[in-house]
Amino acid sequence: MQAVFRRMATPLFALVMALAAASAWSDMALAFGLPAGGLGTEALRVLSQSAVLLASAMVVMRLLHLLVWQGVILRRTGSQAPRLLTDLVDGLILVSAVVIIIAFVLDKPVTGLIATSGVAVAVIGFALKSMISDLFSGIAITLERPFHMGDWIEINGGVVGKVLSLSWRATGLMLDSGVYVVVPNSRLSEMVLRVYDRPEAPWRDEIEITLGYDITAHQVERILLSAAADVPEVAAQEHKADARIAEFGENGVKWRLRYWVPDYPSRSRLRYAVQRNVLRNLHYSGIGAAVPRLHAHISQGDGVNAADPGIESFLGRVSLFSMLDPKEMAELADNSDFQLVRAGAAVVRCGEAGNSLFIIKEGLFEVVIPDKDGGGDKVVARLKSGAFFGEMSLLTGAPRGATVQATVDSMAIEITKEALQPILARRDSLMEAMSSALAERQLQNSKAALQTVTATDGHEARQTLAKQLLGRMRSFFSHG
């Protein structure tokens, strides 16, 4: 408050002195020996009264600066009022004071002056209409504050940028590509804006893909939803991903995967991660994107299980069975089948007995183990398409080491001991190869085993573990 009084002291002192002079101008004329009604006396009157009006104008301008520009505007917007606005208002106040002086102090007609000034103002206003429009649009944006510094906004045309500056003429946006864009305030005020990074308007991204009519909706949902759920930052959002049909086209069904991201800057990075997961899931499911069709061919089915060739082809991509020849692969596929696992359902449970292995074809699973500190279950891994689990139970009969449950509707292939036993009985070398592959996997995934490898020779540790597993496998399958 003291600072306000200090800044008002000069114009108030000037006003007081001008008022004193205006009230005593006749006495001053007598003191100077000027005749009443003379030119000198009239000049003192005009000067003293003009000084009052000009000093009053200075007081009004200073009050506006202190109470409005540096008071209300600064408190509401957090930034200074545009210099052009303050100068324009100061100029209008001074011009008004001059017009009053001409009309009431000098007693001259101002109609012609006002008309001339109006024409001049109109010409200047027409010439500067864009700048004036930008100015008042900037004032409106500053007062209403539809967005804040640092917000990401989307303007017409789908251009999205981060607000870095807001001046009286334009708003500066930095695109995620690093390009700086300047948008005039008058155009910005006419646009429909989408503001991101607000709790009331979270950002949702989406991708589209066209797939054939021969793929079921359940299969597409497993592929797309697991692709989004496999990205931790997407899975952690309160709003969950969903898959919707966008349209039915000539080449196939257009699907739209919608998911939420924590902030706009991470949108591009997370979209790439989701797209990669979609491609991976399509690969393991043996599905390709729809392509334009030149003709259609319809044939009568012969009742053969169409899933069997899919199982055989899929098993060939699993490293554990890569040493099987085509005949053995076909035999294993014939004795295996798909298993649909609903979201939240457990395929295996920790500590239970088991003698089968599961390979994930579509979907996403979590590996859960009990917390040793008594804090409940703990998620230690996520398994996606192409991954397998339960191999120790299949090959050695060991109890399940963890609980594995689906996070979304998923599809898996179960390989049982009965399906694998005839093949291993004919080829003892195959059992040795699988024990070596299993030993290498155990060494890679077990932290304790990795520490052992660090202390000793890795090849020796792998051979030792392989011999142990081979003995357990022979014992387990000999009792089949």
Side-chain angles (χ1 to χ4, degrees):
M1 186 62 68
Q2 293 180 354
V4 173
F5 284 127
R6 284 197 300 269
R7 299 187 65 178
M8 290 294 302
T10 300
L12 286 175
F13 177 76
L15 178 59
V16 171
M17 295 300 294
L19 288 172
S23 61
W25 66 269
S26 57
D27 296 334
M28 293 173 59
L30 292 176
F32 286 108
L34 298 176
L39 184 60
T41 304
E42 183 65 16
L44 283 176
R45 182 189 68 81
V46 170
L47 288 174
S48 59
Q49 294 179 355
S50 299
V52 170
L53 290 172
L54 293 176
S56 300
M58 290 179 59
V59 171
V60 172
M61 288 188 295
R62 185 59 60 88
L63 284 174
L64 280 175
H65 278 272
L66 293 176
L67 301 180
V68 180
W69 310 134
Q70 298 176 8
V72 176
I73 299 297
L74 185 59
R75 284 195 302 270
R76 289 201 58 184
T77 65
S79 59
Q80 297 285 347
R83 178 66 181 272
L84 181 62
L85 174 63
T86 60
D87 291 347
L88 180 61
V89 174
D90 290 347
L92 290 175
I93 294 173
L94 287 175
V95 169
S96 300
V98 171
V99 170
I100 293 174
I101 290 173
I102 294 174
F104 296 99
V105 177
L106 298 178
D107 197 20
K108 300 293 184 181
V110 294
T111 305
L113 178 62
I114 293 175
T116 304
S117 301
V119 173
V121 169
V123 172
I124 295 173
F126 182 78
L128 301 177
K129 63 178 182 179
S130 297
M131 298 182 69
I132 295 173
S133 178
D134 291 337
L135 168 64
F136 285 99
S137 297
I139 294 172
I141 292 173
T142 302
L143 293 176
E144 295 178 5
R145 303 179 71 179
F147 52 80
H148 300 78
M149 292 295 178
D151 283 350
W152 289 82
I153 63 174
E154 179 181 341
I155 59 180
N156 291 353
V159 177
V160 181
K162 184 178 183 180
V163 180
L164 293 185
S165 64
L166 176 60
S167 65
W168 63 269
R169 192 188 69 82
T171 299
L173 305 177
M174 179 64 74
L175 309 186
D176 54 1
S177 61
V179 178
Y180 187 76
V181 177
V182 179
V183 184
N185 289 330
S186 57
R187 294 192 57 188
L188 195 67
S189 63
E190 298 173 354
M191 297 178 181
V192 177
L193 303 179
R194 297 180 64 184
V195 183
Y196 307 119
D197 284 352
R198 295 285 191 84
E200 64 271 20
W203 167 256
R204 185 181 68 191
D205 198 11
E206 59 185 41
I207 58 175
E208 291 185 347
I209 184 171
T210 301
L211 300 172
Y213 284 99
D214 55 338
I215 306 171
T216 66
H218 294 296
Q219 190 174 15
V220 175
E221 289 172 356
R222 291 193 296 267
I223 292 170
L224 297 183
L225 295 181
S226 62
D230 192 30
V231 180
E233 291 170 274
V234 174
Q237 299 304 305
E238 178 182 357
H239 303 280
K240 300 304 178 183
D242 58 51
R244 295 287 185 270
I245 295 176
E247 64 176 280
F248 295 96
E250 295 182 359
N251 301 322
V253 181
K254 180 180 290 186
W255 287 86
R256 180 177 294 123
L257 173 62
R258 306 184 303 179
Y259 56 92
W260 302 86
V261 296
D263 48 50
Y264 182 82
S266 63
R267 174 195 59 90
S268 178
R269 174 176 57 83
L270 296 180
R271 173 183 286 187
Y272 175 67
V274 173
Q275 289 171 330
R276 284 193 60 182
N277 291 343
V278 170
L279 288 178
R280 180 204 65 217
N281 293 351
L282 290 174
H283 168 72
Y284 281 108
S285 297
I287 299 173
V291 295
R293 300 183 180 183
L294 299 179
H295 60 85
H297 176 69
I298 302 176
S299 59
Q300 180 70 32
D302 56 4
V304 177
N305 184 1
D308 289 346
I311 292 179
E312 182 178 347
S313 175
F314 185 75
L315 290 178
R317 304 188 186 104
V318 181
S319 59
L320 190 62
F321 303 113
S322 60
M323 65 288 295
L324 297 180
D325 59 36
K327 184 178 179 180
E328 293 168 337
M329 193 74 73
E331 181 182 351
L332 185 62
D334 288 338
N335 295 299
S336 305
D337 202 358
F338 290 112
Q339 185 176 114
L340 177 63
V341 185
R342 295 297 185 185
V347 184
V348 299
R349 295 189 180 277
C350 182
E352 291 183 350
N355 60 358
S356 62
L357 168 145
F358 295 87
I359 309 170
I360 304 172
K361 185 175 186 289
E362 299 162 2
L364 186 69
F365 289 79
E366 289 181 340
V367 181
V368 181
I369 61 173
D371 193 345
K372 295 180 180 180
D373 298 330
D377 294 337
K378 179 181 179 182
V379 177
V380 296
R382 286 174 175 263
L383 303 178
K384 58 192 75 173
S385 298
F388 58 90
F389 58 91
E391 68 279 3
M392 287 296 292
S393 296
L394 168 67
L395 299 177
T396 68
R400 303 295 188 184
T403 298
V404 182
Q405 58 192 25
T407 59
V408 299
D409 287 353
S410 304
M411 185 73 73
I413 300 173
E414 183 178 14
I415 308 295
T416 64
K417 175 186 176 182
E418 290 74 18
L420 188 61
Q421 189 171 26
I423 300 174
L424 295 181
R426 295 192 300 266
R427 287 181 59 187
D428 188 69
S429 59
L430 181 61
M431 188 177 293
E432 294 180 0
M434 294 185 71
S435 66
S436 297
L438 185 58
E440 185 171 358
R441 176 179 168 91
Q442 291 296 310
L443 286 172
Q444 290 175 350
N445 296 341
S446 172
K447 184 177 180 181
L450 287 175
Q451 293 173 346
T452 304
V453 172
T454 303
T456 61
D457 179 67
H459 180 70
E460 180 181 348
R462 185 163 49 252
Q463 287 213 343
T464 301
L465 183 56
K467 289 179 181 179
Q468 295 174 355
L469 292 173
L470 180 60
R472 295 176 63 183
M473 289 171 62
R474 284 174 174 167
S475 175
F476 178 62
F477 281 93
S478 65
H479 292 83

